[in-house]
């Protein structure tokens, strides 16, 4: 049975001398994220990422300003818990992730095809079977528009 792709990537990174520090940093950030996540309500756990650990300062990146505000309120308790887990963190920076550009709006392609004579014949038969009313008027307009 083949290993998942993530396992291959980790093995590759572990073998490369130059990427050893990258892997070590990633493992540290993941461990710190785990400590922080344990302090947060379930709804907030996926809304942040530990992005940088420099000296004794940890930077967290949040998905939105509301979560950033809540984490700032909880900052002293979060720092205490990180210290209790054995990490030497004195300061916590909390930043909100911003988008580099406006998200592209999807382009809707019209998927309708032109009505051919067979289609119009079916609508003609339908129009003869309908009683007077809004539906009969709509079918008559459709036929008039497409028979020009």
């Amino acid at each position: 049975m083949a290993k998942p792709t993530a396992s291959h990537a980790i093995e590759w990174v572990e073998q490369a001398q130059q990427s050893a520090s990258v892997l070590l940093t990633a493992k540290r950030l993941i461990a710190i994220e785990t400590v922080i996540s344990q302090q947060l309500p379930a709804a907030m756990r996926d809304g942040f990422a530990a992005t940088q650990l420099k000296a004794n300062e940890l930077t967290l990146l949040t998905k939105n300003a509301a979560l950033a505000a809540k984490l700032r309120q909880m900052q002293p308790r979060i720092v205490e818990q990180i210290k209790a887990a054995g990490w030497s963190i004195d300061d916590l920076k909390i930043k909100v992730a911003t988008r580099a550009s406006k998200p592209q709006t999807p382009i809707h392609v019209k998927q309708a095809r032109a009505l051919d004579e067979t289609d119009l014949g079916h609508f003609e038969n339908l129009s003869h079977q309908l009683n007077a009313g809004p539906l009969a008027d709509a079918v008559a307009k459709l036929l008039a528009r497409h028979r020009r």
Side-chain angles (χ1 to χ4, degrees):
M1 185 163 94
K3 290 183 180 178
T5 306
S7 296
H8 292 297
I10 291 174
E11 287 174 7
W12 175 78
V13 169
E14 287 174 342
Q15 292 173 0
Q17 292 275 338
Q18 295 173 340
S19 58
S21 66
V22 173
L23 181 63
L24 181 60
T25 301
K27 285 181 178 181
R28 286 178 180 163
L29 291 174
I30 291 170
I32 292 172
E33 277 184 19
T34 303
V35 171
I36 295 170
S37 291
Q38 292 170 352
Q39 306 305 312
L40 300 176
M44 294 172 60
R45 291 181 186 151
D46 293 330
F48 77 98
T51 57
Q52 187 177 24
L53 181 58
K54 190 181 268 187
N56 291 344
E57 181 179 85
L58 174 67
T59 302
L60 298 180
L61 192 63
T62 64
K63 289 183 178 180
N64 56 55
L67 178 58
K70 185 63 177 172
L71 289 175
R72 285 184 188 106
Q73 289 175 348
M74 299 173 68
Q75 187 170 348
R77 188 172 61 172
I78 292 172
V79 171
E80 286 176 21
Q81 290 300 322
I82 294 171
K83 284 182 177 180
W87 297 97
S88 178
I89 302 293
D90 295 325
D91 192 22
L92 189 62
K93 275 187 174 178
I94 300 169
K95 297 181 178 182
V96 179
T98 57
R99 293 188 180 138
S101 63
K102 182 180 174 185
Q104 293 181 342
T105 56
I107 299 172
H108 297 287
V109 178
K110 189 174 181 180
Q111 296 180 352
R113 62 176 177 80
L115 297 177
D116 59 16
E117 285 302 317
T118 305
D119 299 329
L120 294 173
H122 291 300
F123 277 109
E124 185 74 38
N125 290 338
L126 177 64
S127 69
H128 294 304
Q129 297 173 6
L130 293 173
N131 295 328
L135 182 58
D137 295 342
V139 172
K141 284 181 183 178
L142 181 138
L143 288 169
R145 187 171 56 246
H146 286 282
R147 296 264 166 132
R148 289 186 214 167

